[in-house]
């Protein structure tokens, strides 16, 4: 037991300045494993991730059903905790308990008052995984008006019964308590840490000070600036504590109060389940970092590139909501132009809802929130048949990854820019088709010229030029324009001769180039008739046994081995290959003439695990969203 009255100084968001807020904390901190009175032999225990427990121990009571009537006292198991408060007031009473949803109901009271019951279904907050199917979380028991001086909190566990084969039999008694906190005012749980504790690590402080820099560049230049944002970011919990999560498959449009959040360091990119195990059972959380944007970029556009996230992401810049995606593992470019302030340090925040938000309340029959404690190791596995998803993540490699999974970047583009280029070569028609999506983030109409030139990959000499096209875009408009030009004699892409080109798309405004985008492609056309694949109209036979040379091979050595063994095709499973991201791996295979079958959501495989698409419209709709995002 500990009494504390201290001055807490909280550093508010460094993005808005280093203002200080003084706050006095009055609380009592009681170790659950140290009752001052008890009528049952209950002691301290600790296992698994015991570093997540206060003093690495908690009180553990586990009475098997067959022993309940013999071991449980007639008045129930009683635990008493004596404590002192220094001043009168309204105090919140919190208990950091174990075993989410399966703990036994227990009663509590202060100073011999009326007993009140805490149910196993009462929702907790700040959930953490201690071990397989073992959790710890903070539960608010209630409030009490307390005068200064001595008081006693009592916990009571009584036998409960169920009907079994026509007989009334007891349930087992299961209860764990790590810490009890009696707090004057509003308590904000922060794991095992006391309210006035200096809990941040040196790495946490480094993440709070990290600022990425956009290089200075004259505003008239058309070349894009891409700033990699890999490294230490900050992360905090943004737990939802209602019986059903708010707008489950929609965007999060608010950020936590910076004074209410506990920010810690996290490595980006990285699988949150692995790089931050204390957040394994936190399923809505906020990434945050800062970027210094020079004044010279004024008048240009900005977008945040997230090559791969899971499951959903809402983007904010300087507290302003900018956009949302629910296409996991697919490239997401979010325009943030209106929120960026050139000449200042800008705060970027990304709110992630992870793969646990894919749980379907309709199909499973229980709210998504009540499935937040399923062990990560069981997510998407075939042997856990009670999982029902509304998103196509039904396989372990997809369901057990979370967060910002590939290196993000901030891109500075033209005042109007090409947000997407989709290239459609046709060998049959001897033509090259283009679908170019243009975006005008400004609040005024803009008319730009679109110029497309084709050069050999790695070269400079123009081999094909499209006539300029003039396009007018209204304020904030994004539009796709379609072009097609004949090209009778391109160098075709073949597996044994992988010729590649680069399309250079340039936008000009008032005669001045403002944006340039380069897109690499091969001039090729696939079709099939019966069982025969054809490339560029020629039947082509493929062989592969998906030999990888081990779990994490050198990609170049793997390709060399495939060629020696007659393999000319590769089946790409999962999220990585030889340390390469999916995009890097696909680009390598394109250069090397290796045809790829991308196993996963693209071909419907993930949607088919555990559930058929026909079983739910939500799953089908979300599968289509992701399919389109990956095709683009």
């Amino acid at each position: 037991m500990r009494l504390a009255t201290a001055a807490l100084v909280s550093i508010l968001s460094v993005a808005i300045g280093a203002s200080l807020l003084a706050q006095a904390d009055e609380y009592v901190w009681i170790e659950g494993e140290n009752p001052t009175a008890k009528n049952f032999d209950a002691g301290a225990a600790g296992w698994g991730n015991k570093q997540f427990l206060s003093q690495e121990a908690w009180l553990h009571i586990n009475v098997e059903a067959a022993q309940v009537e013999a071991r449980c006292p007639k008045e129930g198991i009683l635990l008493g905790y004596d404590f002192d408060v220094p001043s009168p007031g309204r105090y919140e009473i919190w208990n950091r308990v174990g075993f989410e949803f399966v703990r036994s109901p227990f009663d509590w009271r202060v100073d011999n008052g009326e007993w009140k019951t805490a149910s196993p279904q009462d929702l907790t907050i700040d959930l953490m995984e201690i071990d397989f199917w073992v959790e710890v979380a903070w539960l608010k028991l209630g409030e009490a008006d307390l005068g200064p001086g001595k008081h006693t909190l009592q916990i009571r566990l009584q036998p409960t019964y169920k009907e079994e084969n026509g007989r009334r039999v007891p349930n087992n008694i299961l209860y764990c308590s790590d810490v009890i906190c009696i707090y004057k005012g509003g308590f904000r749980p922060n794991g095992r840490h006391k309210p006035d504790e200096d809990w941040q690590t040196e790495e946490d402080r480094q993440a709070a000070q990290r600022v990425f820099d956009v290089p200075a560049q004259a505003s008239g230049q058309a070349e894009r600036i891409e700033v990699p944002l890999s490294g230490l970011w900050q992360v905090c919990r943004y737990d939802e504590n209602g019986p059903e999560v708010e707008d489950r498959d929609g965007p999060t449009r608010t950020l936590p109060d910076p004074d209410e959040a506990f920010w810690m360091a996290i490595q980006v990119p990285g699988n949150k389940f692995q790089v931050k195990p204390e957040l394994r059972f936190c399923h809505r959380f906020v990434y945050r970092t800062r970027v210094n944007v020079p004044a010279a970029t004024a008048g240009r556009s900005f977008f945040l590139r997230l090559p791969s996230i899971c499951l959903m992401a809402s983007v904010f810049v300087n507290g302003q909501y900018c956009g949302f995606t629910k296409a996991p593992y697919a490239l997401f470019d979010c325009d943030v132009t209106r929120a960026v302030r050139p000449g200042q340090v800008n705060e970027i925040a990304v709110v992630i809802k992870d793969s646990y938000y894919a749980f379907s309340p309709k199909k499973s029959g229980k709210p998504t929130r009540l499935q937040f404690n399923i062990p990560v190791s069981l997510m998407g596995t075939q042997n856990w048949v009670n999982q029902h998803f509304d998103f196509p993540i039904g396989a372990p490699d997809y369901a057990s990854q979370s967060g910002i999974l590939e290196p993000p970047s901030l891109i500075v583009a033209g005042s109007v820019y090409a947000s997407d280029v989709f290239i459609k070569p046709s060998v049959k028609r001897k033509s090259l088709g283009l679908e170019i999506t243009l975006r005008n983030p400004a609040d005024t109409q803009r008319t730009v010229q679109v110029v497309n030139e084709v050069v050999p990959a790695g070269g400079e000499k123009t081999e094909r030029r499209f006539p300029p096209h003039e396009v007018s875009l209204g304020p904030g408009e994004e539009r796709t324009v379609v072009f097609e030009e004949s090209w009778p004699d391109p160098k075709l892409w073949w597996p044994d001769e992988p010729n590649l080109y680069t399309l250079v798309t340039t936008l000009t405004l008032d005669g001045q180039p403002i944006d340039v985008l380069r897109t690499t492609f091969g001039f090729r056309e696939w079709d099939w008739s019966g069982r025969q694949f054809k490339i560029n109209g020629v039947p082509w036979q493929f062989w592969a046994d998906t030999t990888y040379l081990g779990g994490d091979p050198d990609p170049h050595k793997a390709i060399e081995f495939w060629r020696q063994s007659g393999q000319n095709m590769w089946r790409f499973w999962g999220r990585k290959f030889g340390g390469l991201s999916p995009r890097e791996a696909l680009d390598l295979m394109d250069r090397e003439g290796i045809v790829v079958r991308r196993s996963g959501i693209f071909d419907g495989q993930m949607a088919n695990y555990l559930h058929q698409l026909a079983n739910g419209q939500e799953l089908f709709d979300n599968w289509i969203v992701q399919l389109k995002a990956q095709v683009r």
Side-chain angles (χ1 to χ4, degrees):
M1 177 180 73
R2 177 172 180 237
L3 173 67
T5 303
L8 173 66
V9 177
S10 295
I11 299 179
L12 295 180
S13 169
V14 287
I16 60 173
S19 60
L20 298 178
L21 175 69
Q23 172 184 324
D25 283 305
E26 293 187 17
Y27 69 93
V28 178
W29 190 263
I30 306 171
E31 293 294 329
E33 66 272 18
N34 295 327
T36 51
K38 60 182 180 180
N39 67 350
F40 187 84
D41 185 18
W47 67 92
N49 294 317
K50 61 182 181 180
Q51 71 273 18
F52 298 157
L53 300 174
S54 177
Q55 300 186 7
E56 297 194 350
W58 58 358
L59 180 133
H60 178 221
I61 296 175
N62 185 13
V63 184
E64 298 293 335
Q67 301 176 344
V68 165
E69 293 183 339
R71 294 185 59 195
C72 185
K74 292 182 179 180
E75 66 275 20
I77 297 172
L78 292 175
L79 306 168
Y81 298 91
D82 295 334
F83 63 95
D84 294 292
V85 297
S87 63
R90 187 76 169 174
Y91 286 80
E92 293 183 349
I93 301 171
W94 291 73
N95 191 353
R96 195 167 187 236
V97 294
F99 294 100
E100 192 85 343
F101 306 131
V102 297
R103 63 182 177 269
S104 296
F106 62 91
D107 304 321
W108 68 276
R109 68 179 179 180
V110 176
D111 297 338
N112 294 315
E114 180 184 355
W115 287 106
K116 299 176 183 178
T117 300
S119 164
Q121 283 72 46
D122 290 343
L123 295 179
T124 60
I125 199 166
D126 205 45
L127 187 68
M128 293 186 186
E129 183 181 54
I130 298 299
D131 209 335
F132 188 72
W133 282 124
V134 181
E135 311 85 20
V136 64
W138 282 100
L139 175 66
K140 183 179 179 181
L141 300 183
E143 300 180 7
D145 291 314
L146 301 176
K150 297 185 180 299
H151 299 273
T152 299
L153 171 70
Q154 285 183 296
I155 302 292
R156 180 177 68 183
L157 291 148
Q158 293 183 302
T160 60
Y161 293 85
K162 62 183 176 182
E163 292 293 327
E164 191 174 278
N165 298 324
R167 295 174 54 243
R168 185 171 176 264
V169 297
N171 296 300
N172 68 324
I173 296 178
L174 181 62
Y175 174 79
C176 280
S177 176
D178 177 35
V179 167
I180 295 166
C181 185
I182 302 171
Y183 189 93
K184 186 177 182 180
F187 176 59
R188 294 182 294 122
N190 184 24
R192 63 182 176 84
H193 302 293
K194 300 178 177 67
D196 57 356
E197 182 178 342
D198 182 10
W199 56 271
Q200 287 195 316
T201 66
E202 181 59 32
E203 191 175 61
D204 295 335
R205 286 184 276 271
Q206 289 175 9
Q209 296 300 319
R210 179 69 187 270
V211 179
F212 295 91
D213 287 303
V214 175
Q217 183 171 337
S219 59
Q221 294 181 351
E223 292 294 331
R224 295 182 174 187
I225 307 170
E226 182 164 3
V227 183
L229 300 179
S230 296
L232 281 183
W233 286 42
Q234 291 180 286
V235 68
C236 76
R237 288 177 172 267
Y238 201 12
D239 292 324
E240 294 187 88
N241 201 33
E244 183 50 272
V245 294
E246 174 183 329
D247 196 9
R248 182 178 65 95
D249 61 352
T252 300
R253 296 186 179 273
T254 60
L255 290 172
D257 186 325
D259 190 39
E260 297 291 317
F262 297 98
W263 295 98
M264 61 187 82
I266 190 169
Q267 194 67 37
V268 172
N271 180 358
K272 183 263 299 186
F273 292 131
Q274 296 176 351
V275 300
K276 214 68 183 172
E278 59 266 54
L279 297 181
R280 191 166 289 165
F281 281 163
C282 170
H283 303 303
R284 188 176 72 164
F285 45 97
V286 185
Y287 287 89
R288 183 174 74 170
T289 194
R290 295 177 297 154
V291 181
N292 183 28
V293 180
T297 61
R300 303 192 71 181
S301 300
F302 302 84
F303 60 90
L304 180 67
R305 170 159 289 174
L306 296 170
S308 181
I309 59 93
C310 185
L311 173 69
M312 292 172 266
S314 300
V315 173
F316 297 78
V317 171
N318 297 322
Q320 181 177 335
Y321 172 77
C322 296
F324 167 73
T325 181
K326 63 176 182 179
Y329 305 107
L331 174 67
F332 175 48
D333 286 343
C334 182
D335 188 281
V336 297
T337 306
R338 289 177 178 270
V340 170
R341 301 168 188 159
Q344 299 183 25
V345 173
N346 292 256
E347 181 184 271
I348 295 174
V350 182
V351 182
I352 302 284
K353 294 178 179 178
D354 70 15
S355 51
Y356 283 69
Y357 276 78
F359 280 111
S360 172
K362 293 180 181 178
K363 301 188 189 82
S364 65
K366 62 180 180 179
T368 302
R369 169 64 181 84
L370 301 189
Q371 304 178 75
F372 275 4
N373 67 321
I374 292 175
V376 176
S377 60
L378 293 181
M379 285 292 289
T381 56
Q382 293 276 21
N383 62 348
W384 189 247
V385 296
N386 293 326
Q387 293 182 16
H388 301 274
F389 298 119
D390 282 337
F391 285 77
I393 61 166
D397 190 52
Y398 285 79
S400 63
Q401 297 196 47
S402 169
I404 300 176
L405 300 172
E406 293 182 29
S409 58
L410 180 67
I411 298 175
V412 185
S415 56
V416 178
Y417 64 94
S419 60
D420 185 60
V421 172
F422 188 52
I423 301 174
K424 302 187 295 184
S426 175
V427 176
K428 292 179 181 178
R429 296 196 304 271
K430 296 184 178 182
S431 66
L432 184 65
L434 304 176
E435 292 182 6
I436 300 179
T437 304
L438 304 176
R439 185 177 183 90
N440 173 26
D443 54 7
T444 59
Q445 181 168 315
R446 299 280 176 84
T447 299
V448 296
Q449 270 199 338
V450 184
V451 178
N452 291 288
E453 299 175 302
V454 180
V455 300
E460 296 181 358
K461 184 179 179 181
T462 300
E463 200 162 306
R464 199 75 185 169
R465 188 188 304 271
F466 281 61
H469 288 263
E470 196 170 85
V471 181
S472 291
L473 297 167
E477 183 181 2
E478 185 175 70
R479 191 196 327 160
T480 299
V481 291
V482 178
F483 312 109
E484 185 170 12
E485 294 291 330
S486 72
W487 192 354
D489 56 350
K491 290 182 179 180
L492 302 182
W493 186 96
W494 301 94
D496 53 1
E497 189 182 344
N499 299 302
L500 291 172
Y501 289 101
T502 297
L503 176 75
V504 182
T505 302
T506 303
L507 306 187
T508 64
L509 179 65
D510 299 328
Q512 297 296 319
I514 60 169
D515 187 62
V516 178
L517 178 62
R518 293 171 174 83
T519 309
T520 300
F521 70 99
F523 202 113
R524 60 198 158 198
E525 187 170 30
W526 292 96
D527 66 307
W528 63 90
S529 54
R531 299 172 62 185
Q532 183 67 63
F533 277 103
K534 293 180 181 179
I535 180 171
N536 303 329
V538 177
W540 208 272
Q541 186 65 48
F542 295 105
W543 292 272
D545 63 8
T546 64
T547 303
Y548 280 12
L549 298 178
D552 192 22
D554 180 310
H556 296 281
K557 290 182 179 179
I559 291 172
E560 181 182 354
F561 176 80
W562 296 341
R563 286 176 173 151
Q564 291 173 354
S565 57
Q567 301 177 63
N568 61 0
M569 168 173 201
W570 175 47
R571 185 173 182 180
F572 186 4
W573 297 81
R575 303 295 311 145
K576 294 281 186 180
F577 179 65
L580 301 179
S581 70
R583 173 51 56 194
E584 292 169 335
L586 292 173
D587 287 345
L588 172 64
M589 299 305 163
D590 216 14
R591 294 193 299 270
E592 296 291 335
I594 305 294
V595 177
V596 178
R597 175 191 167 181
R598 184 65 171 104
S599 295
I601 296 170
F602 180 82
D603 61 11
Q605 186 172 353
M606 294 303 103
N608 199 40
Y609 281 2
L610 299 180
H611 311 283
Q612 300 293 327
L613 287 175
N615 285 349
Q617 187 64 39
E618 296 92 346
L619 181 59
F620 179 79
D621 291 343
N622 284 314
W623 180 80
I624 291 297
V625 167
Q626 182 160 343
L627 180 62
K628 288 181 177 178
Q630 292 212 2
V631 168
R632 301 300 291 178

